[in-house]
């Protein structure tokens, strides 16, 4: 009977595990194998070069510059996105005026605001990139930002935005935050709605302010959700390929000011003499950095589970 139970479990797991190995694990293994060759991707010949590709990227200044941009994205975008998501979710669900006997209440029209916040999620990356390219357009007649600054009498603050090496990466970061914050507003709102109102009532009876209830009640009870969101946002920040490619000047410009590792990988594989081996080595390096980030995040967020 015991063996029959295990056969039943294995029967359910065999197909999903096999698909996971073939579709997820196998490409990583193949990528590592390609990184040990000088394959161009255009010919069947593959010469084994060992760790030469890794030595090349270690001495490649463009790689380290692109990796530094990924680190900036990793340090800034998740923090800003999750902070704004928590703030807006808290305001929508707990920040309204008390009505009747309710101890806590959301703002009026909270459901509508959630739809508005979530709206960027239904747009494709291409639409988002084109939309914000027009907003950042340096032409005072066509670009929204420069047009508003000009009409407000702040023409001296008009910028080339995506054409300025000092501003381009920050502009793309802002778009990444805008495109993702709505999802976390909805996610955190769902988590907050599951917190019993009695906990807030007890805190308010003790004289706790809303800021105190956020840091002492809401945030600790949402810690697992925040940790999961942090990992997802970290993965998005480590990628950044689509927005950077579509929005930046000359694929990572100006002067490589917005280049990121995935985009450099793409250019190495498909533009710079089709160096598939070196591109694969960059992919392995990015995988390692992403795994380290995920492990550290989950380790630091580990704690005893709070039951409520």
């Amino acid at each position: 009977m015991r063996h029959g139970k295990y056969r039943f479990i294995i029967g359910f797991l065999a197909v999903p595990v096999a698909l996971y190995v073939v579709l997820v694990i196998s490409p990583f293994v193949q990528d590592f194998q390609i990184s040990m060759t000088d394959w161009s991707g255009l010919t069947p010949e593959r010469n084994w070069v060992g760790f030469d590709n890794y030595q090349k990227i270690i001495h490649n200044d463009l790689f380290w510059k692109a990796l530094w941009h990924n680190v900036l994205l990793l340090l800034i975008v998740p923090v800003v996105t999750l902070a704004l998501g928590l703030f807006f979710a808290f305001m929508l669900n707990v920040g309204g005026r008390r009505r009747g006997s309710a101890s806590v209440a959301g703002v009026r029209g909270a459901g509508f605001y959630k739809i508005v916040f979530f709206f960027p999620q239904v747009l494709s990356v291409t639409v988002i990139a084109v939309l914000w390219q027009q907003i950042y357009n340096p032409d005072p007649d066509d670009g929204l930002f420069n047009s508003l600054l000009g009409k407000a009498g702040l023409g001296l603050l008009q910028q080339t935005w995506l054409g300025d090496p000092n501003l381009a990466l920050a502009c793309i970061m802002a778009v990444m935050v805008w495109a993702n914050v709505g999802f976390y507003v909805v996610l955190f709102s769902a988590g907050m709605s599951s917190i019993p109102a009695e906990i807030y009532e007890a805190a308010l009876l003790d004289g706790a302010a809303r800021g105190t209830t956020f840091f002492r009640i809401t945030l600790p009870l949402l810690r697992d959700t925040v940790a999961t969101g942090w990992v997802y946002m970290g993965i998005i920040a480590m990628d950044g390929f689509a927005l950077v490619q579509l929005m930046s000047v000359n694929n990572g410009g100006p002067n490589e000011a917005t280049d990121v590792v995935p985009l450099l990988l793409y250019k190495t594989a498909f533009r710079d003499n089709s160096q598939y081996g070196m591109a694969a080595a960059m992919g392995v390096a990015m995988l390692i950095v992403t795994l380290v980030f995920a492990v550290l995040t989950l380790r630091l967020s580990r704690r005893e589970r709070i039951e409520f």
Side-chain angles (χ1 to χ4, degrees):
M1 187 174 180
R2 185 177 179 181
H3 293 296
K5 180 181 71 173
Y6 286 126
R7 284 198 299 268
F8 180 76
I9 295 174
I10 292 173
F12 268 102
L13 293 179
V15 175
V17 170
L19 289 174
Y20 185 82
V21 170
V22 172
L23 300 177
V24 179
I25 303 299
S26 176
F28 287 121
V29 175
Q30 294 178 44
D31 180 71
F32 181 73
Q33 291 175 337
I34 294 172
S35 72
M36 308 294 281
T37 70
D38 63 354
W39 188 39
S40 67
L42 302 176
T43 61
E45 291 81 14
R46 299 189 191 187
N47 298 315
W48 184 266
V49 296
F51 290 96
D52 285 357
N53 288 320
Y54 294 94
Q55 292 179 352
K56 289 179 181 178
I57 65 173
I58 288 175
H59 296 93
N60 188 337
D61 293 337
L62 288 179
F63 172 77
W64 290 108
K65 187 175 184 179
L67 183 60
W68 171 242
H69 293 157
N70 274 115
V71 171
L72 287 177
L73 293 175
L74 193 61
L75 294 175
I76 297 174
V77 174
V79 174
V80 176
T81 303
L82 296 180
L84 289 176
L86 282 168
F87 173 76
F88 289 130
F90 186 75
M91 290 295 100
L92 291 176
N93 292 274
V94 187
R97 294 183 178 180
R98 302 176 193 175
R99 295 186 290 273
S101 59
S103 57
V104 293
V107 299
R108 293 186 183 276
F112 171 76
Y113 293 130
K114 291 176 186 177
I115 294 174
V116 173
F117 278 115
F118 192 78
F119 179 71
Q121 288 293 309
V122 305
L123 300 177
S124 69
V125 176
T126 305
V127 172
I128 291 174
V130 172
L131 173 66
W132 280 90
Q133 276 183 326
Q134 294 303 312
I135 293 174
Y136 286 135
N137 192 324
D139 190 332
D141 296 325
D142 296 327
L144 178 62
F145 281 169
N146 283 346
S147 177
L148 292 176
L149 289 172
K151 291 179 180 178
L154 301 173
L156 293 177
L157 298 180
Q158 292 177 337
Q159 304 289 337
T160 54
W161 305 111
L162 296 175
D164 188 335
N166 298 318
L167 294 175
L169 187 61
C171 291
I172 295 176
M173 287 185 190
V175 177
M176 294 178 70
V177 172
W178 177 85
N180 291 283
V181 70
F183 172 80
Y184 293 98
V185 170
V186 176
L187 179 66
F188 294 146
S189 294
M192 291 177 189
S193 64
S194 67
I195 299 175
E198 291 80 4
I199 299 178
Y200 287 111
E201 291 175 359
L204 293 174
L205 287 174
D206 289 336
R210 284 180 177 171
T212 304
T213 61
F214 174 78
F215 288 105
R216 297 289 184 177
I217 297 175
T218 305
L219 190 56
L221 294 178
L222 288 179
R223 187 169 178 176
D224 291 340
T225 306
V226 173
T228 303
W230 196 282
V231 173
Y232 284 138
M233 279 306 304
I235 294 173
I236 292 173
M238 279 303 299
D239 183 7
F241 169 79
L243 280 177
V244 173
Q245 185 194 31
L246 292 169
M247 293 185 63
S248 64
V249 178
N250 296 326
N251 285 342
N255 299 326
E256 287 79 40
T258 59
D259 213 354
V260 290
V261 175
L263 181 57
L264 181 62
L265 184 157
Y266 170 81
K267 292 187 291 186
T268 301
F270 298 102
R271 192 184 69 180
D272 301 336
N273 299 321
S274 299
Q275 303 177 69
Y276 266 53
M278 187 180 296
M282 292 179 184
V284 172
M286 193 173 74
L287 170 65
I288 293 173
V289 174
T290 305
L291 287 177
V292 169
F293 168 77
V295 170
L296 289 177
T297 300
L298 294 176
R299 282 277 186 180
L300 294 174
S301 62
R302 181 178 296 175
R303 62 178 174 85
E304 293 183 1
R305 185 173 296 276
I306 300 176
E307 300 291 344
F308 59 89

